[in-house]
Amino acid sequence: MSTNKIANRLVNLLRQGQFETAQKELFQQDAISTEPESANLPETKGLDAILQKGAQFRESVENWYGITVSEPVVSAQHFAVALTVDLAFKGQAQSRMDEIIVYQVEDGKIKHEQFFY
């Protein structure tokens, strides 16, 4: 699958809140997920670990109020999207998360995702 097709499919799935489906369908088995250094979270390696990280995040959310995903900016092997999520973590007030996510595509699947927030 081309980088452009992967980018558009990912945006579609994210807009529907289908995070796990997107990862299972579009990520390589040995994909890597990187958070900003300031988040003090280790790099996550492998699709199973990425799926687990996503499940833990979703379990920490009490309420989802909305999600906005930009159109992708695509180059030959990379694309980026802006993601805004309005949510409330368990026991906390509603908050807004704004981030940019950059994806690297290799052999028709996402090889690396890196978050900036």
Side-chain angles (χ1 to χ4, degrees), residues 3-14:
T3 302
N4 193 56
K5 286 183 180 179
I6 290 169
N8 287 316
R9 177 71 176 148
L10 180 75
V11 165
N12 245 351
L13 291 169
L14 293 179

Side-chain angles (χ1 to χ4, degrees), residues 20-115:
E20 187 173 333
T21 299
Q23 292 166 330
K24 286 180 178 178
E25 181 180 320
L26 301 172
F27 282 48
Q28 292 183 356
Q29 285 297 316
D30 62 347
I32 298 169
S33 179
T34 306
E35 301 285 338
E37 285 185 36
S38 62
N40 205 23
L41 296 169
E43 189 170 75
T44 305
K45 296 181 180 181
L47 181 56
D48 290 340
I50 291 170
L51 290 167
Q52 182 179 21
K53 176 179 124 177
Q56 288 173 341
F57 177 81
R58 288 187 300 279
E59 288 171 10
S60 72
V61 176
E62 187 170 322
N63 288 309
W64 297 86
Y65 299 103
I67 182 169
T68 304
V69 184
S70 71
E71 291 298 317
V73 176
V74 183
S75 69
Q77 292 182 306
H78 296 85
F79 67 95
V81 297
L83 176 73
T84 302
V85 182
D86 288 313
L87 51 70
F89 290 105
K90 291 180 179 174
Q92 296 182 20
Q94 183 176 345
S95 63
R96 178 177 159 162
M97 296 174 55
D98 289 303
E99 52 196 46
I100 299 287
I101 312 166
V102 178
Y103 297 90
Q104 176 188 357
V105 176
E106 186 179 284
D107 299 325
K109 294 267 189 171
I110 294 171
K111 172 73 174 176
H112 185 246
E113 69 176 354
Q114 186 167 4
F115 295 87

